[in-house]
Amino acid sequence: AQSVTQPDIHITVSEGASLELRCNYSYGATPYLFWYVQSPGQGLQLLLKYFSGDTLVQGIKGFEAEFKRSQSSFNLRKPSVHWSDAAEYFCAVPISNFGNEKLTFGTGTRLTIIP
Amino acid sequence: DVKVTQSSRYLVKRTGEKVFLECVQDMDHENMFWYRQDPGLGLRLIYFSYDVKMKEKGDIPEGYSVSREKKERFSLILESASTNQTSMYLCASSRGVYNEQFFGPGTRLTVL
């Protein structure tokens, strides 16, 4: 089965600083990759997704992610964070290679923003 | 605008009670999911449904059952609630394969 690893449980950054959240995946073929954000007490919202093509993917709220096959990574970035970006972030990948409706999620990275 | 709604945001039940959590989506999606979310464990799939009356166990189905009588509605049932089922429950839906899932706001269930 495929899997994703988010090595950082908790990250703290200053408002206005740049951000990079790490995601490593295990996948047998060209992966489909997703980043979700969960604000406190809310459900998950899709930030961006990678299916194929350009390895740099733009998402909502000024986020982007870069797919690097050689490193099995799909890291999420933002050049300048805002206090409203404080949330939990999840990376996800389909659970297997073969036409699968199910996703497997990483354990999440909690982002704290300090003034 | 796509929408997944869950019947309750907060729920408090007693040990041994039968609990129903309901989820409704308005996107005509064939796939629906129930997850539970616990700190440090991420999202764990309880059950998945790919069509009306069709269901598949996820990673942690013990103590839960589901019902999908209509395409837009997917219910999670705790037959006899226990304190270790205190958690956040998230419903999601999607279309086809390899597609993103759309999530409801979640139900925070406390079992006393």
Side-chain angles (χ1 to χ4, degrees):
Chain A
Q2 318 308 324
S3 64
V4 288
T5 302
Q6 293 181 249
D8 305 305
I9 296 172
H10 185 203
I11 283 182
T12 300
V13 300
S14 298
E15 191 168 13
S18 64
L19 171 70
E20 183 167 27
L21 302 182
R22 296 185 289 165
C23 172
N24 296 103
Y25 66 88
S26 153
Y27 201 87
T30 300
Y32 295 74
L33 293 155
F34 305 86
W35 272 103
Y36 285 85
V37 61
Q38 184 180 32
S39 298
Q42 302 297 317
L44 277 68
Q45 180 185 20
L46 182 72
L47 278 176
L48 48 80
K49 60 188 178 186
Y50 171 77
F51 282 4
S52 65
D54 195 347
T55 56
L56 187 62
V57 181
Q58 301 298 320
I60 63 171
K61 305 182 188 227
F63 285 91
E64 66 179 24
E66 186 170 13
F67 169 61
K68 292 185 178 179
R69 184 188 299 277
S70 61
Q71 297 175 21
S72 297
S73 70
F74 188 56
N75 295 347
L76 183 71
R77 303 193 297 239
K78 188 169 184 178
S80 176
V81 297
H82 186 261
W83 63 266
S84 60
D85 294 324
E88 190 147 21
Y89 293 80
F90 293 91
C91 184
V93 65
I95 209 160
S96 76
N97 290 341
F98 300 105
N100 211 292
E101 305 86 349
K102 291 178 282 190
L103 300 177
T104 185
F105 290 82
T107 50
T109 297
R110 184 159 62 94
L111 176 64
T112 298
I113 308 293
I114 54 176
Chain B
D1 200 17
V2 297
K3 201 148 187 176
V4 179
T5 57
Q6 296 184 227
S7 50
S8 305
R9 293 299 304 274
Y10 300 94
L11 209 51
V12 179
K13 295 292 181 181
R14 299 226 173 257
T15 303
E17 280 193 80
K18 191 168 186 176
V19 181
F20 293 86
L21 303 183
E22 297 224 309
C23 174
V24 178
Q25 51 96 3
D26 65 0
M27 296 164 280
D28 200 36
H29 285 169
E30 53 270 33
N31 305 318
M32 295 189 76
F33 308 83
W34 275 107
Y35 294 92
R36 96 174 249 175
Q37 183 179 20
D38 300 288
L41 297 178
L43 276 71
R44 293 180 290 167
L45 182 65
I46 305 171
Y47 267 98
F48 157 59
S49 169
Y50 50 93
D51 201 349
V52 175
K53 297 190 188 293
M54 307 304 286
K55 62 186 179 186
E56 192 176 299
K57 291 180 181 178
D59 301 319
I60 51 164
E62 297 78 20
Y64 304 95
S65 62
V66 290
S67 171
R68 193 165 180 202
E69 297 296 319
K70 294 186 178 182
K71 190 174 185 180
E72 67 271 16
R73 190 179 298 269
F74 191 35
S75 301
L76 179 70
I77 303 152
L78 286 65
E79 297 290 343
S80 177
S82 64
T83 54
N84 62 14
Q85 292 179 309
T86 291
S87 187
M88 170 73 107
Y89 290 87
L90 293 166
C91 175
S93 72
S94 72
R95 184 186 308 283
V97 297
Y98 295 123
N99 283 322
E100 67 265 34
Q101 295 178 14
F102 295 86
F103 284 81
T107 295
R108 185 163 295 282
L109 173 67
T110 301
V111 182
L112 302 175

